[in-house]
Amino acid sequence: MFEYMPYNLAPWGVEIVIYFFIIGLAAMTFIMAAAPETFGNVAAPFRNVEIPGAVITLILLGISGPLLIADISQPLRFLNPIIYFRPTSPLSWGSVLLLLFGAAVVAFLYGRFFDKPGIRRAAAVIGSLLALSMPIYTGIDLAANQSRALWATPAIPLLFVALSVTSGAGLVAVIQLVTGNFGPDASRMIRTIMAFSLATTFLLVFALVQTMVYGTAELQQAWDAINGEFSVQFWWLGIILGIVIPLILVLVPILAPRAEAARSPLLVAVAGVLGALGAYMLREVIIYAGQLPQLFF
Amino acid sequence: MISIGLQAEPSYGVPGKKRWAMVVDLRRCIGCMACVAACKAEYDVPLGVWRTTVQVKNTGKFPNARRNFMPRLCNHCDNPPCVRNCPTAATYKHEEGFVLQRYERCIGCRTCMIACPYNARFMLPRNRTRVGINNVVDKCTFCDHRVSQGLVPACVQTCLGRARIFGDINDPNSEVARLVGTHKTATLKPNKGTRPQVYYIKPDRKSMEQATSAPVSAAARRDAEAFYRHNNGSRFFSAHL
Amino acid sequence: MGIQEKLSTSRRGFLKLGAAATAVGSAIASSRLVAMEQELGGADYSPVTGEKRKAVPYTCMACNIEDGGVAMIENGRIVKLEGNLKHPNTRGKLCAKGNSGFLHVYDPDRIMTPLKRVGKRGEGKWKRISYDEATSLLAEKLRAVIERAKAEENHEILNEIVMKWGRNRTGGAVKRFMHALGSNSMVNHTNICESSKKVGLEPSWGPDIESCDWANTKYILNFGSNILEAAYFMNPNAQRLVDGVVGNRAKIVTFDPRLSNSAGYSHEWHAPYPGTDAAIVLAMANVIMNEGLYDADFVRDWTNVTAEQLIAHLKPFTPEFAEKESGVSADDIRRIAREFATTKPATTFSYRGPVKHLWGAYQEAAIHMLNVITGNVEKKGGYCLPRGMGWPQPEPVPPAGPALSAIAKPPLYPLASHAVSTNAPYMVMRGEAKVSVWMSYYDNPLYTYPSSHVWRAFLGDESLVPFFTSFSCYMSETTEMADLIIPDVTYLERHDPESMPSGLYPCLSIRQPVIQPLGGTQEFRKTLIDVIHKVDPDGSLGIRKYFAFDSVEDWMKQHFDNIPGLKEEGGYERLKKDGVWPVYGKVDKETAKLVDDNGNEVKAEYGLYTTEIPDEEMVGTEISEEGTITRDGKPIGVRINGKNYVGFGTPSRKIELFKEEWRTFGFNPLPTYKRLPSRDKKPDELVLTTYKVNVHTQSRTASLKYLAEMYHKNPAWMNPQRAARLGIKDGDLVRITSPLGYIVTRAHLTEGIHPEVVAISTACGHSAYGRLATLKQRDPAARWAQGNDPDIANNVWWDDRGVHPNPIIRLSVDPIGGSQGWYDTVVKVTPAQAGDKYGDTDVSIEQAMKDYDEMLRYAYTGDLHRAAHKEVDIDWNNLPEPKLTGH
Ligand SMILES: Nc1nc2c(c(=O)[nH]1)N[C@H]1C(S)=C(S)[C@@H](COP(=O)(O)OP(=O)(O)OC[C@H]3O[C@@H](n4cnc5c(=O)[nH]c(N)nc54)[C@H](O)[C@@H]3O)O[C@H]1N2
Ligand SMILES: Nc1nc2c(c(=O)[nH]1)N[C@H]1C(S)=C(S)[C@@H](COP(=O)(O)OP(=O)(O)OC[C@H]3O[C@@H](n4cnc5c(=O)[nH]c(N)nc54)[C@H](O)[C@@H]3O)O[C@H]1N2
Ligand code: SF4
Ligand code: SF4
Ligand code: SF4
Ligand code: SF4
Ligand code: SF4
Ligand SMILES: [Mo]
């Protein structure tokens, strides 16, 4: 007999990657859409994204919910995590938070359309907090697994927040561009946000890479996978196209305030789209490569 | 506290409590696969998924080649992360140590599979021969339905080499307790904090390594590829087969 | 919903039970200081409903080792099998095949109704008919032969009724049937199996196999038996081997050109050049004899040779000579010989590896001799006689047919007591035998025989085989060629008597229908009764009386109801309940030894040959000069040092290392080594070896899904260094070419094989045998088939069914043992050529016919025989004439 292998599948596939991406995107879009309400005038340039942002958030939630339900093998039991709520399960928390977040978005829009400032305000603040919990919970979903060395670090929720901020900012930029409202204030703000989120992402990824290079056997396996089958996705699409280039695009106007052309809102939107793409790629690589070291265990 | 999220507290070494455990004596395993077949039959386990497996690996160079066998199954961890992470408590820990499934509750989110450091869990496909439980996660149950009736598990029952030995490790007079007490044993990935309750006797480096290594031979790799091809061409869970 | 409800109730029940068990457990633990260990088996419960499953004992036949089993039945369906704890040798355990055996019953491609061919032979077009129509048709064909024999007053015509079988565990039913019809043309399969082992042993000590006391030994020398995966008796012996090696700290040394699981488990693995075992063994014997390490008393008293005679005979077989022949170092041979002779008790074990060669019988005789000269025979922990039990045949028993049959026992092989079944098609094609009705039972030569394509040509030719009936329950490669198929039932649905010497405790066991045969199928023995009743409806042919059974169960009763000891305990009814008799004791939970109610080991008996003949039985006997005790000319014992012992089953009642009968035909009477033609192959060639794997049985388990999942393809094992020289990489497509033609398969590079050898297992590469074996699992079921298994139809994930090597394996017959030389084919392995596809097979019938002629030159009348046996002192011009003996 030659080797007999019990072949295994990695449990989480592309549906989860998309879900994580969309939910993070939705969450950060909402935070920015609700920012004028939450933070007041500082965020005034985002005023015009309030409605499209919240509506798009709702649409994204409308995609991600069914996606998640379709991904589970017993879709009809999708309420079980709430019915049998388990405090130690990030996923249980996630389900509850997701529902509440959805409710907050609805409430926000309600308050906006029916001009109920109290509700609007409360929904914005609470909804933003809930929105923040979205990338965090998906990150914890990964980080809670000691079995997956690449994921088992608190950096993952942070990274997911940063990735979501980038992609959310990107989406907001696009919304503004499309609706023709992308003024200099708004684009400066988005540039600033993206500069922070991209820089954070860069540092967190750098830290992760460090742990992999010097890491345990499993981390090294993940590192091999990243540099092997995922190298294009990770280095070119994730790092170069997804972090470095957008970072340059958003930093140039800040560092060189006189470079007029660099301040074009279009460039910010391009940076946002690239950043979102990178955010997707990095998520996918992390989710995939994190599972591979255990494929044959 | 370590037991957060467990329906039953860790019971290894707790007086007055049962703690079922298995000893796998690698000196005695002859790779006969009887355990694998017995387990499949006992539960109508479908093709493509396994509650238990025995890995086979050759080592050395001709003429000093050797062969190693490595039986694997759920460790019925005393501190099982699969239970902790399950959003519905579909997987739970019984007070005697079994880690079990409530099939009717499981949503098939595969979080437990992600959480298990040992690949001990799998998704049941749509089609089986006889049993009507499908599309939920399943795993080795330590044959709780037999053990509770005073029998050994099915794989232990049939183990030709008597390599699998089962009993209450908290009972100092049980064979498992004596074996673990008097032999060098190892558990798999103890650093994961799971407190596995499957103990391996005479775990040489090769056997332990083979538990985590990818297939090397073209024959095995081709099989792996066929396996993924069957899963719509992906190594990642893809559609419910 | 239903399942969920059941589930939750059973869980609740379980929690309660679990708590109760804790209380009981701890109470006992404190009072007895012995753990309340779990029961080892005997019962089973449904994991879904918690309900107890019905348990019915049977005897396994997923392979031929006949272990005791218990079938667990849920709602009339066999859902689980386990070993029978009452069976003294099985001890409650089944191997992977045994555990999967119930899948035979539910095989979606099982034939559920008799079939009559409507298209061309082998075309696969069938008409469904009833058992009644089928048995009438066969009876008509048989009756026609009988009437023709009568009309032409030629008994030989009766021998045109041929029955060929592979597995025949019917307890004599086939022979009874054939003899009742007046035919002696029974063709077994033993020469493709292990017959040269039998022939190497029988003339020396009587029985055809040894029973090693693995559990109590200290040293095991294993020659080419893959005892942990196959061999007789895999399951029981493997259990005890592990007990011996781990529990008793025995050392095990294995000789096999290939790293089998047994070799991989051994303390030492040596890979000899194929077919050179005898050189190694004789060199060991040489060392043992010359260094005075032999058991002088045993050799003097119990053999028909002297030490001096042996020393002289062994002179040329030095360790250096053996090293040259086998490649195993002389130092190792010396060391192992010394270890073997000085470690007590010790034993050898061997199976097909050494014997499936031209002159295989010599190799077995040599291995056997090692045990004899070291005095390990019938010692605790040693090399013991097999222990079986018999049962009577119901009277009246039909006499043998009136004319001796050549096809049953080819006359050129007088010493081959287990015949030469491989030669059957060639004999018919050459006009040396004639066929009118060919019947095939449990047999698949189109797959399992060497040069298997010859069988296709033979059975496909209506001028050679005018009528062909198969009694198979599966559409095998062979059954596909039949004119009439009368399906049998599976081994879990029928009656058979059994007694296998699978350990040191002799026992009887039975097969009984653990469920009613599915879909109205009928067991073979019932078919035989029906056919005989139709051949001779009124008894006028005088053969009906041999089949005067109401039912097969009635037949079984007649076997078992009057066996002394068993009769008192209830006869057949008792066997139905326990499955096995006698029940020696319980299996100890921690040692797995058989123990009585007090926990004391049930001792096995040893030294059977030293049983003394009671004085009253000596009355009327004669004692020869050599001490042989005879009654009415029949040897019954031997007198040694004034004591009368029963001795061994040989004419002298001693171990006959010197075989006079072999000399008569020009063979060396003492174990010797003959260099095989394959030993002189060209440097760029390899020797092709074939083997079995732990999870498959022969041609018949490729359709069992659990086993097919574990092992479904059989790439050719090659040593990496050798492969590199040939430009072959792991997984490459290769062409393997023998003089017969070639196959295209893949290479599997492994350090576990001799560089001069390429090994391809059996059990894969089916062209028939159902949809799973041929990987057409998504095709619709044939109309005669059982149906579908959704698991197979949807969940089969592998896409490779392997390539079978038998078409390129050459016919090669041991002139003594009659055995097929499976491991003698010399091949060339090359990277596949342009256009070669995986599985391509191209072989020639002409070359196969040439092989037949070539092979006859090694028979005792042939020129190559004479050339190879110059040392034998015999009048070569007056060898005995070939005689017909088959009956
Ligand atoms: N799993 C399983 N068990 C079975 C069976 C089965 O089909 N499957 N069938 C049963 C039957 S019918 C039989 S006959 C037995 C056969 O049982 P075994 O004889 O034990 O098995 P094989 O695989 O036929 O051959 C044994 C070994 O011989 C080696 N060999 C080849 N050439 C040589 C040589 O020249 N010298 C030496 N020393 N070794 C050599 C092969 O590599 C192989 O490992 O098994 C029985 N048990
Ligand atoms: N390459 C290669 N070839 C080998 C060997 C090898 O090691 N390598 N081993 C050889 C050996 S040792 C042996 S013994 C032979 C065995 O070869 P065979 O004697 O031909 O025996 P089986 O393969 O067991 O096949 C018996 C056939 O019986 C039929 N059958 C199955 N179950 C039943 C049943 O319940 N009732 C009836 N009536 N029929 C049934 C099926 O059609 C099956 O194909 O093969 C030999 N061939
Ligand atoms: S798949 Fe089922 S058992 Fe596993 S975590 Fe999800 S709900 Fe729990
Ligand atoms: S081995 Fe895996 S499935 Fe089993 S208890 Fe431990 S973590 Fe859970
Ligand atoms: S304990 Fe039971 S479920 Fe687990 S591997 Fe053994 S037989 Fe299968
Ligand atoms: S049944 Fe026992 S000896 Fe056989 S493979 Fe399984 S663990 Fe090993
Ligand atoms: S060795 Fe396995 S298949 Fe053969 S009789 Fe025994 S249990 Fe059955
Ligand atoms: Mo055989």
Side-chain angles (χ1 to χ4, degrees), chain A residues 1-16 70-75 77-82 84-92 95 141-142 144-149 151 218 221 229-230 287-289 291-297, chain B residues 4-5 7 33 36 50 53-57 67 72 83-89 103-111 113-119 123 134-136 189 192 211-217 219-220 223-224 227-228 231 234-237 240:
Chain A
M1 213 176 197
F2 42 83
E3 300 152 286
Y4 161 65
M5 296 294 300
Y7 303 103
N8 297 300
L9 295 174
W12 282 347
V14 71
E15 290 85 351
I16 297 288
D71 178 64
I72 63 174
S73 65
Q74 294 289 350
R77 299 183 188 159
F78 74 97
L79 282 177
N80 278 11
I82 296 167
Y84 306 107
F85 181 77
R86 298 271 296 129
T88 51
S89 162
L91 213 137
S92 249
S95 322
D141 234 4
L142 303 191
N145 295 293
Q146 281 303 314
S147 56
R148 316 279 164 174
W151 300 351
E218 278 167 59
Q221 270 172 287
E229 55 184 302
F230 297 118
I287 291 176
Y288 282 2
Q291 293 178 79
L292 288 186
Q294 212 183 291
L295 198 60
F296 295 106
F297 189 78
Chain B
I4 282 182
Q7 294 92 336
M33 311 284 163
V36 179
W50 295 265
T53 59
V54 180
Q55 281 162 293
V56 182
K57 208 134 254 177
R67 184 159 298 158
R72 298 280 313 279
V83 166
R84 214 177 324 134
N85 286 10
C86 173
T88 64
Y103 302 108
E104 70 284 4
R105 204 182 258 202
C106 172
I107 61 170
C109 62
R110 311 182 300 286
T111 305
M113 292 167 66
I114 285 284
C116 169
Y118 309 99
N119 262 341
M123 174 66 75
N134 309 88
N135 293 324
V136 285
K189 297 189 180 174
K192 298 289 179 192
T212 54
S213 59
V216 250
S217 69
D223 263 2
F227 186 81
Y228 305 134
N231 181 53
S234 173
R235 283 165 304 165
F236 298 91
F237 186 86
H240 304 277

Side-chain angles (χ1 to χ4, degrees), chain C residues 651-666:
Chain C
S652 66
R653 292 266 140 185
K654 291 185 177 184
I655 292 182
E656 300 193 356
L657 291 181
F658 186 97
K659 297 161 190 73
E660 176 53 31
E661 202 190 1
W662 288 18
R663 205 182 64 89
T664 329
F665 294 98

Side-chain angles (χ1 to χ4, degrees), chain B residues 160, chain C residues 58-68 83 90 93-99 101 229-231 233-236 491 511 694 697 700:
Chain B
L160 289 200
Chain C
Y58 68 96
T59 301
C60 185
M61 208 181 142
C63 85
N64 206 35
I65 280 148
E66 325 297 354
D67 282 304
T90 303
K93 296 171 185 299
L94 297 178
C95 74
K97 300 161 284 145
N99 271 293
E229 296 191 71
F233 296 89
M234 181 265 181
N235 168 8
Y491 71 91
R511 220 163 265 124
N694 48 3
T697 300
R700 57 185 204 254

Side-chain angles (χ1 to χ4, degrees), chain C residues 166-167 189 192-193 352 441-445 448-449 471-474 476 479 488-491 494 690-692 697-700 760 762 769 804-806 809 822:
Chain C
R167 293 294 161 205
H189 82 182
I192 55 161
C193 187
R352 291 175 76 248
Y441 174 61
Y442 242 114
D443 185 40
N444 192 7
T448 53
Y449 271 58
F471 298 104
S472 169
C473 8
Y474 306 102
S476 66
T479 300
D488 190 8
V489 299
T490 68
Y491 71 91
R494 67 164 177 261
T690 176
Y691 61 98
K692 300 176 182 57
T697 300
Q698 316 292 17
S699 77
R700 57 185 204 254
I760 308 180
T762 185
Y769 220 78
H804 195 44
N806 288 24
I809 296 180
W822 280 107

Side-chain angles (χ1 to χ4, degrees), chain B residues 28 48 66 129 175 178 229, chain C residues 37 243 266 590 705 799:
Chain B
R28 302 190 71 111
R66 304 285 303 166
T129 306
E175 194 180 357
R178 275 190 290 109
R229 225 172 293 138
Chain C
E37 299 281 6
D243 285 345
S266 299
E590 289 188 25
K705 60 180 180 177
D799 58 4

Side-chain angles (χ1 to χ4, degrees), chain A residues 257-275:
Chain A
R258 266 166 301 172
E260 197 58 44
R263 252 179 302 181
S264 143
L266 183 67
L267 279 189
V268 182
V270 168
V273 169
L274 289 179

Side-chain angles (χ1 to χ4, degrees), chain A:
Chain A
M1 213 176 197
F2 42 83
E3 300 152 286
Y4 161 65
M5 296 294 300
Y7 303 103
N8 297 300
L9 295 174
W12 282 347
V14 71
E15 290 85 351
I16 297 288
V17 179
I18 298 176
Y19 168 77
F20 279 16
F21 174 74
I22 292 184
I23 197 83
L25 181 65
M28 289 309 151
T29 307
F30 179 77
I31 290 183
M32 284 177 229
E37 200 57 53
T38 320
F39 303 106
N41 266 345
V42 228
F46 286 170
R47 197 59 78 187
N48 48 34
V49 237
E50 263 190 344
I51 292 175
V55 168
I56 285 177
T57 301
L58 209 54
I59 294 171
L60 289 174
L61 286 183
I63 298 170
S64 64
L67 185 68
L68 190 61
I69 291 173
D71 178 64
I72 63 174
S73 65
Q74 294 289 350
L76 297 180
R77 299 183 188 159
F78 74 97
L79 282 177
N80 278 11
I82 296 167
I83 301 173
Y84 306 107
F85 181 77
R86 298 271 296 129
T88 51
S89 162
L91 213 137
S92 249
W93 281 105
S95 322
V96 174
L97 295 172
L98 180 64
L99 269 188
L100 294 178
F101 175 49
V105 178
V106 172
F108 178 77
L109 283 170
Y110 173 84
R112 184 75 171 71
F113 281 122
F114 295 93
D115 208 16
K116 300 261 170 25
I119 293 183
R120 201 169 64 206
R121 187 87 219 271
V125 174
I126 296 172
S128 296
L129 284 171
L130 286 167
L132 190 61
S133 78
M134 291 293 104
I136 293 189
Y137 111 78
T138 55
I140 294 180
D141 234 4
L142 303 191
N145 295 293
Q146 281 303 314
S147 56
R148 316 279 164 174
L150 178 59
W151 300 351
T153 145
I156 294 289
L158 286 182
L159 178 62
F160 277 20
V161 172
L163 292 173
S164 302
V165 170
T166 306
S167 43
L171 182 59
V172 168
V174 171
I175 294 172
Q176 288 186 320
L177 197 70
V178 169
T179 54
N181 289 319
F182 211 5
D185 288 348
S187 70
R188 190 174 341 103
M189 253 183 110
I190 294 212
R191 273 206 302 269
T192 315
I193 293 172
M194 280 184 59
F196 276 107
S197 65
L198 287 167
T200 311
T201 306
F202 187 81
L203 291 175
L204 284 173
V205 171
F206 182 73
L208 266 184
V209 165
Q210 286 299 307
T211 60
M212 279 190 273
V213 178
Y214 298 104
T216 60
E218 278 167 59
L219 280 172
Q220 289 173 37
Q221 270 172 287
W223 181 231
D224 287 346
I226 286 174
N227 288 297
E229 55 184 302
F230 297 118
S231 65
V232 173
Q233 227 175 314
F234 184 78
W235 291 113
W236 290 104
L237 301 182
I239 306 281
I240 306 291
L241 215 60
I243 301 180
V244 178
I245 294 181
L247 198 56
I248 293 171
L249 290 180
V250 298
L251 281 184
V252 169
I254 296 175
L255 297 178
R258 266 166 301 172
E260 197 58 44
R263 252 179 302 181
S264 143
L266 183 67
L267 279 189
V268 182
V270 168
V273 169
L274 289 179
L277 175 82
Y280 180 88
M281 290 304 166
L282 288 176
R283 256 211 196 72
E284 178 166 288
V285 170
I286 286 171
I287 291 176
Y288 282 2
Q291 293 178 79
L292 288 186
Q294 212 183 291
L295 198 60
F296 295 106
F297 189 78

